[in-house]
Amino acid sequence: GTCAAACPYHALTLQNNTLAQREARVASLAGALAPGEIIAFGCGWGGLAAADNAGVKGLKYDHRMQMLGVSCIGQLDPSVMARAFVEGAPGLLLLGCPPEECHHSYGVDHTWSRVTMIKKLLQFGGFDRRRIALAHADLNQPEEFIRTVESFINTIDELGPIEKTPENQEKLEALYATVNNARVRWVIGATLR
C-alpha cells in the first residue's frame, strides 16, 4: 500500500481500500467531529495496538481523539490527510510503529515525508504546522501512547479550531489540490527511492 500512496499518477490502487474510500471515511468523520475532537490514524501494529493495550490495562486517554485504523500509516495518501482539514478537522495525529520496528519496512519513513510536506503547506497557508503530527506508538508502552495523545490534544486546544471563513476554506482547498498534483507527488515519492 505504500507504493499506491506514493504513486504520482494514482496508477496503483488497493483493492477494497481505495483512495476514494479512505477520503470518504475521513470526510465523513471530519464532518461529524464535535468541537475539540481530532482525527487520528493508527497503524495496526503501533497506534491501534497501543490503544487496545491501554484499554486492556484500564488506562484512560482523552475521548476527543477519533482513531481510524490502517494496516500501515505508510498507506496514507497525502490527499487523505489534506481532506481531513478541508472537511473541518482541527488536527490530525498519525500513530505508527517505531521506525526500527516498522512491520512494513519503511512505512513510517514514507509517512514522514508526506507529513513534512503537509506541515509546510499548512504554514504557507497561514496555519500552524503543529496541526498535524506523526508519532510512534509501541504496543508495549501504552502509557507513552497516552502521553502522546494528551500532548497533541493539548496543542490543538491551545490552537483552537480553524476558523470557517471562505478565505481559510479556499486555502485548505488549495492545499488539497497541491497534494493531488502529479509533479508534487513525484518529488515526494522520488525522495524515498
Side-chain angles (χ1 to χ4, degrees):
T2 58
C3 293
C7 181
Y9 304 105
H10 298 290
L12 303 172
T13 60
L14 294 174
Q15 279 188 317
N16 302 321
N17 204 356
T18 66
L19 175 59
Q21 290 169 325
R22 286 188 184 190
E23 280 195 37
R25 266 193 301 265
V26 80
S28 177
L29 181 57
L33 291 176
E37 288 185 330
I38 63 150
I39 294 177
F41 281 98
C43 81
W45 296 95
L48 281 177
D52 285 345
N53 197 16
V56 167
K57 290 185 173 190
L59 303 173
K60 304 276 187 221
Y61 56 90
D62 201 312
H63 67 280
R64 295 179 294 162
M65 179 187 73
Q66 303 297 323
M67 189 182 298
L68 293 170
V70 291
S71 58
C72 176
I73 59 170
Q75 296 176 345
L76 287 175
D77 191 281
S79 65
V80 174
M81 299 175 208
R83 184 71 185 263
F85 292 109
V86 169
E87 299 297 333
L92 183 61
L93 176 63
L94 293 93
L95 296 156
C97 300
E100 63 279 357
E101 299 173 18
C102 182
H103 287 75
H104 294 274
S105 298
Y106 299 104
V108 173
D109 296 333
H110 289 260
T111 306
W112 180 84
S113 64
R114 295 175 194 139
V115 168
T116 300
M117 177 182 63
I118 299 286
K119 282 178 175 280
K120 288 178 182 178
L121 291 172
L122 283 169
Q123 190 171 10
F124 287 148
F127 303 106
D128 196 300
R129 61 188 291 134
R130 295 177 294 165
R131 291 192 179 277
I132 185 169
L134 172 62
H136 310 295
D138 188 321
L139 161 70
N140 299 314
Q141 297 177 355
E143 296 83 5
E144 183 62 31
F145 162 80
I146 291 171
R147 281 192 291 278
T148 300
V149 169
E150 299 292 336
S151 174
F152 185 73
I153 288 181
N154 288 339
T155 298
I156 297 303
D157 285 345
E158 175 189 317
L159 296 173
I162 296 174
E163 280 188 64
K164 293 187 184 263
T165 64
E167 181 183 351
N168 282 348
Q169 192 63 28
E170 186 178 328
K171 289 176 184 179
L172 293 171
E173 293 281 350
L175 184 151
Y176 178 77
T178 300
V179 300
N180 277 310
N181 179 296
R183 289 182 181 162
V184 171
R185 295 172 61 85
W186 185 87
V187 169
I188 294 299
T191 61
L192 300 172
R193 293 189 191 96

